[in-house]
Amino acid sequence: MTSITKNLPFFIREPAVAIIGQKCYTTLIENLELGDVDCLKYAISKGLGIGIVAGGAVMKVPQLLLITRARSARGLNLTSYILETLAYAINLAYSARNAFPFSTYGENLFLTIQNVAITYLILQYPTPTLTSATTARNPHAHLLPFTAATLLVGLVLLFSPAKMLAILQVSTLPIALFSKLPQIAQNQKARSTGQLSAVAVGAQTLGCLARLFTTATEVDDILVAGSFVLALLLNLVVAAQMVLFWGQGVGSEKARVAEKPFLTTPTPIREKVEIQVPQPLSPRTTSPAPQSGTRRWARKID
């Protein structure tokens, strides 16, 4: 068997060496020594990391499709998504600045981009609490300020010094907490999760669980690990709410739409006008009736 594993083609060998390193490649693949715990954990961590990055590239796509198809962001909290996007961006900048392996944080790049799109869609299809006269007249009124704010945050994170990024990374713990609390409170109040995607929530929960393993194996950074622990707990709460409130709120939303009165132009009430047409006199009544007591004369014609 080792005669095969030691002579694998280059298009298999070179990517594998680039991922797990020459030492672990020789131990695990060429020599098939699966008892090397360190190399085995490292290989599993790399595999999970690559899978998470690949999954992160499409993790929020179901949520985007739900919003665009329904043309509604009902159930999605704007504050939660703004804070969650900020936490993703900070973690991305901190990990890149510290030269962590891309497989340990790469999904944050894709999640940040997707969350920016979802946040804009929440503004594009506002809930009744966000609806205003300006939004009704121009649905793209938020595009310019939203784009400017996004670029400003990106530039600040890009050019911040390492010490500032470390402080910001610590701040991701309360940011993550406050990013989920409004969503959790809104779900509990409405007894519904609205257009929240079960696929996205489930993927986030599993991703946080896997990230704890990859962080402990490859990075060993307490700040990054702490943020994933808190995110895992909060995602578990949201996932539990999705199970509890599954299918609720949809019927009531349709009922509210059905009960909405239609604006119709009132039909003017026409008054009934009666036209009396004088009846013609009967031929028998054309001549006056003979007076009583008068004598009729008749002429006899021979």
Side-chain angles (χ1 to χ4, degrees), residues 5-297:
T5 57
K6 289 182 179 180
N7 294 285
L8 292 175
F10 73 95
F11 57 84
I12 295 178
R13 182 179 63 255
E14 291 183 2
V17 171
I19 293 173
I20 63 176
Q22 184 63 53
K23 176 180 178 296
C24 289
Y25 177 83
T26 303
T27 302
L28 297 177
I29 298 178
E30 290 187 351
N31 299 331
L32 297 178
E33 296 178 4
L34 301 181
D36 192 328
V37 177
D38 292 336
C39 278
L40 188 61
K41 287 174 59 178
Y42 186 75
I44 293 174
S45 175
K46 281 295 184 182
L48 286 174
I50 293 173
I52 294 171
V53 172
V58 295
M59 184 181 294
K60 296 298 184 80
V61 171
Q63 184 67 77
L64 287 166
L65 293 177
L66 276 176
I67 298 174
T68 53
R69 286 175 181 174
R71 300 185 68 83
S72 169
R74 185 180 62 87
L76 276 69
N77 188 275
L78 178 63
T79 304
S80 291
Y81 267 88
I82 291 175
L83 293 176
E84 185 181 69
T85 306
L86 183 60
Y88 283 148
I90 292 173
N91 189 278
L92 173 64
Y94 176 79
S95 300
R97 185 68 61 85
N98 285 276
F100 294 155
F102 186 75
S103 61
T104 62
Y105 70 90
E107 76 279 3
N108 286 325
L109 172 63
F110 303 110
L111 291 176
T112 301
I113 296 172
Q114 293 170 77
N115 260 27
V116 167
I118 292 173
T119 304
Y120 177 71
L121 287 178
I122 295 175
L123 295 172
Q124 177 75 5
Y125 304 121
T127 56
T129 56
L130 294 176
T131 304
S132 62
T134 304
T135 304
R137 289 194 300 268
N138 184 9
H140 300 286
H142 301 288
L143 179 59
L144 184 59
F146 178 78
T147 304
T150 303
L151 292 176
L152 179 61
V153 172
L155 290 174
V156 169
L157 293 176
L158 183 63
F159 294 104
S160 293
K163 291 183 178 180
M164 178 61 69
L165 285 178
I167 296 174
L168 291 175
Q169 180 62 31
V170 175
S171 71
T172 58
L173 295 175
I175 288 175
L177 178 63
F178 288 110
S179 70
K180 290 297 182 182
L181 287 181
Q183 183 69 66
I184 292 171
Q186 180 172 309
N187 294 344
Q188 192 66 32
K189 182 179 180 180
R191 309 291 293 178
S192 168
T193 54
Q195 298 297 331
L196 202 61
S197 171
V199 176
V201 173
Q204 279 184 294
T205 305
L206 295 176
C208 288
L209 187 61
R211 269 290 169 239
L212 288 176
F213 178 77
T214 61
T215 302
T217 303
E218 299 183 56
V219 177
D220 197 21
D221 190 305
I222 189 66
L223 297 179
V224 178
S227 64
F228 283 125
V229 169
L230 183 58
L232 174 62
L233 295 176
L234 295 173
N235 281 321
L236 285 173
V237 174
V238 177
Q241 287 182 324
M242 295 209 72
V243 175
L244 291 174
F245 305 143
W246 186 263
Q248 297 186 25
V250 178
S252 59
E253 180 72 13
K254 292 181 179 179
R256 283 194 296 268
V257 174
E259 293 174 0
K260 186 177 180 180
F262 293 97
L263 297 178
T264 56
T265 304
T267 304
I269 301 175
R270 297 182 179 180
E271 296 182 357
K272 185 177 180 181
V273 179
E274 295 183 359
I275 301 176
Q276 295 182 354
V277 180
Q279 298 293 330
L281 295 176
S282 174
R284 296 180 180 180
T285 59
T286 53
S287 58
Q291 299 291 330
S292 60
T294 60
R295 187 175 180 179
R296 291 185 178 181
W297 295 91

